Amino acid sequence: MKIIRTANYEEMSRKAANIISAQVIMKPDSVLGLATGGSPEGIYKQLIEWYNKGDVDFSEITTINLDEYKGLPRESEQSYWYFMHKHFFDHVNVRPQKINVPDGTNPNVEEECARYNQIIKSKGGIDLQLLGIGIDGHIGFNEPADTYELGTHCVDLDESTIEANKRYFEKKEDVPRQAFTMGIGTIMQAKKVLMVVNGAAKADIVREAFFGPVTPRVPASILQMHPDFTLIGDAEALSKI
Ligand code: F6R
């Protein structure tokens, strides 16, 4: 595990964007596992800036997003499909047919999970997986549990996750209670894993996840065992380690 401490969110985003750009420059047809949320927004902004300058080309990449709310159609402004297009895909030359996000509207959970697992397998797995971390230690939407789920599955979201994510919705009741997520096995099989974390609210979970025992009760703790895991955090998020 490599930890990079940055002064603030902007520096965190720039350093992470540098690693992603390097990945794409070295392997233009990289399979990138992507995340949504506040943590990676600055990374996408930076990558768009470098794309506009001609410094990085996304035309050959494949993207595989971590998760999607169950029940939300792509057009919904709160869907992760929408988020990714608004914050990244619509501004760069990634090919639409190479974008993958779980289909939150598929009522057949088993079928959707199998479809998504098959996509990941057919691409040969993920070269670089970008992650954020929830205050309960979730990665993707792998919430604290008794065991690790390996492949794509549908989860009931924890109360703390619903609380944290209500900022994107008009009211808390509108936050979907379930989501599709890539499994821990898939994340662990990614060749490189890059996590960004910022803000004082994440300081406790960062200490617990990366300096405490490895347990599915703190899903992110398994990353301690990943052979190529980099954590980039701002001063506040890393204040307790
Ligand atoms: C999002 C995702 C989640 C977030 C986590 C942190 O695709 O998989 O695990 O990374 O909830 O969210 P933010 O960055 O909004 O604090």
Side-chain angles (χ1 to χ4, degrees):
M1 175 167 69
K2 182 166 187 192
I3 299 179
I4 300 175
R5 200 181 282 266
T6 65
N8 51 41
Y9 180 81
E10 286 66 36
E11 192 192 340
M12 174 197 85
S13 304
R14 212 167 49 244
K15 286 225 154 73
N18 254 308
I19 292 173
I20 295 171
S21 298
Q23 172 71 39
V24 174
I25 291 166
M26 296 302 280
K27 185 170 187 260
D29 63 347
S30 286
V31 178
L32 299 183
L34 297 178
T36 60
S39 313
E41 256 188 65
I43 301 176
Y44 297 137
K45 207 170 145 212
Q46 181 65 78
L47 289 174
I48 293 166
E49 207 180 302
W50 288 337
Y51 166 74
N52 285 332
K53 282 189 183 158
D55 289 343
V56 57
D57 171 18
F58 297 103
S59 62
E60 297 303 323
I61 64 162
T62 294
T63 67
I64 302 186
N65 261 81
L66 277 168
D67 40 20
E68 180 60 282
Y69 287 117
K70 184 160 187 296
L72 288 193
R74 288 176 169 184
E75 325 61 77
S76 160
E77 288 184 20
Q78 286 81 23
S79 78
Y80 285 173
W81 172 275
Y82 191 96
F83 176 102
M84 287 308 301
H85 283 76
K86 179 176 169 195
H87 292 284
F88 189 43
F89 298 150
D90 284 351
H91 310 280
V92 297
N93 62 343
V94 56
R95 294 205 196 134
Q97 65 272 27
K98 293 192 169 219
I99 292 171
N100 299 282
V101 181
D103 177 3
T105 62
N106 190 343
N108 187 334
V109 167
E110 247 175 66
E111 180 188 274
E112 182 54 22
C113 294
R115 183 189 74 85
Y116 213 59
N117 285 335
Q118 184 48 38
I119 289 174
I120 298 166
K121 198 173 157 201
S122 71
K123 309 294 174 204
I126 293 164
D127 289 306
L128 188 153
Q129 177 64 56
L130 176 62
L131 296 174
I133 183 171
I135 48 168
D136 61 357
H138 70 229
I139 47 176
F141 273 136
N142 292 276
E143 297 283 24
D146 292 332
T147 54
Y148 291 114
E149 287 265 5
L150 300 181
T152 307
H153 56 289
C154 182
V155 289
D156 294 332
L157 298 178
D158 271 18
E159 193 50 38
S160 68
T161 303
I162 292 168
E163 190 61 38
N165 289 5
K166 72 175 186 198
R167 67 191 195 277
Y168 293 109
F169 293 80
E170 214 169 281
K171 48 187 193 311
K172 189 175 164 186
E173 294 69 51
D174 295 343
V175 185
R177 269 36 191 175
Q178 289 187 310
F180 287 103
T181 182
M182 199 185 267
I184 293 286
T186 307
I187 294 171
M188 285 301 283
Q189 278 164 13
K191 292 189 186 83
K192 289 177 198 290
V193 178
L194 173 63
M195 176 182 279
V196 281
V197 60
N198 66 287
K202 302 265 178 85
D204 283 327
I205 196 64
V206 165
R207 188 185 49 204
E208 217 182 316
F210 304 117
F211 293 86
V214 174
T215 161
R217 288 273 129 222
V218 184
S221 63
I222 189 111
L223 295 168
Q224 292 181 37
M225 307 184 76
H226 192 282
D228 191 346
F229 170 53
T230 304
L231 172 69
I232 307 185
D234 73 354
E236 287 182 347
L238 302 192
S239 63
K240 296 194 176 167
I241 59 166

